[in-house]
Amino acid sequence: MREFIVEADGGSRGNPGPAGYGCVVLDAATGETLVETYEYLGVVTNNVAEYRGLLAGLRAAHDLDPSARVHVRMDSKLVVEQMSGRWKIKHPDMKPLALEAGRVFPPGRVTYEWIPREQNKHADRLANQAMDSGASASSVKKLSSAKAEADVRAATAVASPGWAPADMGAPATFVLLRHGETPLTPQKRFSGSGGTDPSLSEAGREQAERAAEALARRGTIQHILASPLTRTRQTAEAVAARLGLEVTVEDGLIETDFGAWEGLTFGEVRERYPDDLTTWLSDPEAQPTGGGESFAATATRIAATRDKLVAAYAGRTVLLVTHVTPIKTFVRLALGAPPESLFRMELSAASMSVVAYYADGNASVRLLNDTSHLRP
């Protein structure tokens, strides 16, 4: 059986303050470095950052070989003692992280060892790199193999400092239209790709018509792409009829699958699945109950879709009719914002957002959550 050593560390400048983690996976037999990972986390506590480093290291080892044994070495006495079962976990921010870390490998396949900080310099250096890089999404670096390229692309910002030079030519401009209301929308129920696929309500159809009129006045849309779900196709078809264009279905624009939460309100999920919800809110790689799609997986999918469409529609303006999570993810990646920014954006039904992509990889967010066309 293969054996790995995971060395992990996390830090927070302020506790809580700007924080990051670093971790490395080593081959136990040869000492060869197999994976290095670090990530800026935003403002969290030192202990949360340490747990996030542990979780990232275990997941990286699991990706290499899910049947392996793992020996974790950390200079955090708290994490080592709690994960070894000798100390109780009382803090509500750490309980879900510890629970998730304990699920990566079967019980008995992971051992823990405390080491002095001077023996944890590799992970400590990576954690400091993460904190130094600040909120830039380019702080996430996975150097293991080509297997990780899609994840890196999802986490690396399209945007870079400054403005696109004048000679870059016309950008690929994505007008991001959220679908109109369905019967579930006013009740704020989870409605993803794993649910009942509701149609537009009467209010939603009216919103689609108003969006169509606004886009007709804009006069720049050259192509229309839509998620395969009914509500997005209906919204796109209303616009297409007004503009005289065809609708192309793009599977990569589909909404996140919310698993067992489909059709439930946030309050109902909190009542029925409190631990899963807490983990989901704190970890972009956590899945909803029942094996839905994590925000990290959605980001990977959206990044791949973005790259494909930018290449296909360079210099053109394209309407993408899609959903809350994909639109927020397009914006997050363009800004280089951390994953938790998804919870800090408002995105109304039938709202419009715009992101432009230049030939050198720069992105410019030009509009977010415009609902002016819906007002009387």
Side-chain angles (χ1 to χ4, degrees), residues 247-291:
V247 176
T248 299
V249 172
E250 170 53 58
D251 290 341
L253 297 175
I254 200 167
E255 178 61 289
T256 299
D257 181 352
F258 293 112
W261 303 350
E262 295 279 358
L264 301 179
T265 65
F266 188 89
E268 289 169 341
V269 172
R270 183 169 51 198
E271 181 180 344
R272 300 181 193 183
Y273 310 104
D275 292 341
D276 290 351
L277 180 62
T278 298
T279 302
W280 182 73
L281 291 172
S282 63
D283 184 359
E285 296 188 4
Q287 296 178 337
T289 306

Side-chain angles (χ1 to χ4, degrees), residues 193 227-229 250-256 301-302 322-323 326:
S193 58
S227 153
L229 295 182
E250 170 53 58
D251 290 341
L253 297 175
I254 200 167
E255 178 61 289
T256 299
R301 168 167 58 82
I302 293 301
T322 179
H323 309 265

Side-chain angles (χ1 to χ4, degrees), residues 221-226 236-237 239-241 243-249 319:
I221 301 298
Q222 297 167 282
H223 307 273
I224 301 175
L225 282 70
E237 287 160 5
V239 178
L243 301 185
L245 297 173
E246 298 293 325
V247 176
T248 299
V249 172
L319 178 68

Side-chain angles (χ1 to χ4, degrees), residues 312-375:
Y313 296 102
R316 285 174 277 180
T317 299
V318 185
L319 178 68
L320 306 184
V321 187
T322 179
H323 309 265
V324 170
T325 313
I327 293 173
K328 288 184 177 181
T329 302
F330 272 110
V331 172
R332 178 179 82 77
L333 295 177
L335 293 174
E340 58 265 29
S341 65
L342 293 177
F343 299 114
R344 297 170 187 170
M345 299 183 208
E346 177 69 24
L347 205 71
S348 304
S351 64
M352 293 188 203
S353 304
V354 179
V355 182
Y357 300 91
Y358 291 87
D360 65 347
N362 282 331
S364 174
V365 176
R366 298 182 172 182
L367 190 68
L368 178 65
N369 196 41
D370 178 21
T371 58
S372 59
H373 53 284
L374 302 179
R375 301 187 192 116

